[in-house]
């Protein structure tokens, strides 16, 4: 099982295995689980991302992680509560191109997602049952090709937008 959203900046995911197991999962799982699993655009985006990763390698990954840390720091400066990166067994930080912002309430997360979307910043909203009750998130997804100017513009929009959401969890 894998995800396109965390690893390839797309949405949905995949399950690989014997046909009988896949069929069992397809019939036994809640339909919500498969709502984004076979969207052709998501699969195409994931395949395109893999091609770019294979062609550009470590330099691309380094830029991506730099952008993630830049955005993470900018969101912290705004006082937003983030899901912080973990530590790997070798002691390095497990930074990813997905920077989750804690919102808490499902309805508030949807309203904030829509307000940011209308203002020009796209995020993914994660509400229950994808997260625990009271654990709603907005998940930003970055690319290595984002510039500092683009990230600063997004952070400015976030700052203006969250002014209308005084109940957001803050640090």
């Amino acid at each position: 099982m894998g995800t396109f959203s965390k690893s390839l900046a797309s949405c949905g995911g995949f399950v690989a295995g014997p046909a009988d197991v896949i069929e069992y999962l397809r019939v036994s799982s809640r339909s919500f689980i498969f709502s984004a699993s076979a969207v052709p655009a998501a699969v195409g985006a994931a395949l395109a991302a893999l091609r770019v990763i294979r062609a550009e390698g470590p330099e691309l990954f380094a830029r991506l992680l730099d952008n993630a840390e830049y955005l993470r720091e900018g969101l912290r400066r705004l006082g937003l509560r983030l899901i912080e990166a973990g530590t790997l067994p070798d002691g390095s930080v497990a930074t990813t191109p997905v920077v989750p912002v804690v919102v808490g309430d499902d309805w508030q997360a949807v309203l904030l997602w829509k307000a940011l979307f209308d203002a020009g910043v796209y995020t993914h909203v994660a509400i229950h049952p994808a997260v625990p009750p009271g654990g709603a998130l907005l998940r930003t997804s970055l690319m290595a090709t984002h510039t500092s100017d683009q990230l600063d513009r997004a952070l400015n929009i976030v700052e203006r937008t969250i002014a209308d959401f005084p109940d957001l969890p803050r640090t």
Side-chain angles (χ1 to χ4, degrees):
M1 180 181 339
T3 175
F4 294 156
S5 59
K6 290 180 182 67
S7 56
L8 298 172
S10 183
C11 67
F14 65 91
V15 175
D20 58 334
V21 173
I22 300 300
E23 183 63 13
Y24 173 79
L25 290 172
R26 189 183 67 75
V27 212
S28 302
S29 299
R30 296 177 65 194
S31 60
F32 175 77
I33 291 173
F34 293 99
S35 64
S37 62
V39 176
V43 174
L47 287 172
L50 282 173
R51 287 185 189 109
V52 171
I53 290 167
R54 286 181 178 144
E56 298 187 33
E59 305 83 28
L60 186 70
F61 191 62
R63 285 196 315 266
L64 178 62
L65 294 183
D66 287 346
N67 281 347
E69 189 51 39
Y70 188 90
L71 181 65
R72 196 176 273 286
E73 186 54 40
L75 293 169
R76 278 190 205 109
R77 277 195 309 273
L78 296 178
L80 294 173
R81 198 168 90 204
L82 308 178
I83 301 293
E84 294 296 340
T87 304
L88 298 172
D90 68 0
S92 61
V93 176
T95 302
T96 74
V98 176
V99 180
V101 177
V102 176
V103 179
D105 179 73
D106 285 353
W107 187 240
Q108 186 167 330
V110 171
L111 293 174
L112 179 56
W113 168 82
K114 177 71 167 115
L116 287 169
F117 180 81
D118 289 344
V121 173
Y122 184 77
T123 64
H124 298 275
V125 64
I127 59 175
H128 183 74
V131 295
L137 304 168
L138 291 184
R139 294 174 41 193
T140 65
S141 296
L142 293 157
M143 298 184 304
T145 55
H146 278 122
T147 65
S148 296
D149 288 341
Q150 290 170 324
L151 296 175
D152 287 339
R153 189 171 68 225
L155 286 165
N156 287 333
I157 291 169
V158 169
E159 182 176 28
R160 287 192 309 271
T161 304
I162 64 174
D164 295 331
F165 293 83
D167 295 331
L168 283 176
R170 307 290 178 148
T171 56

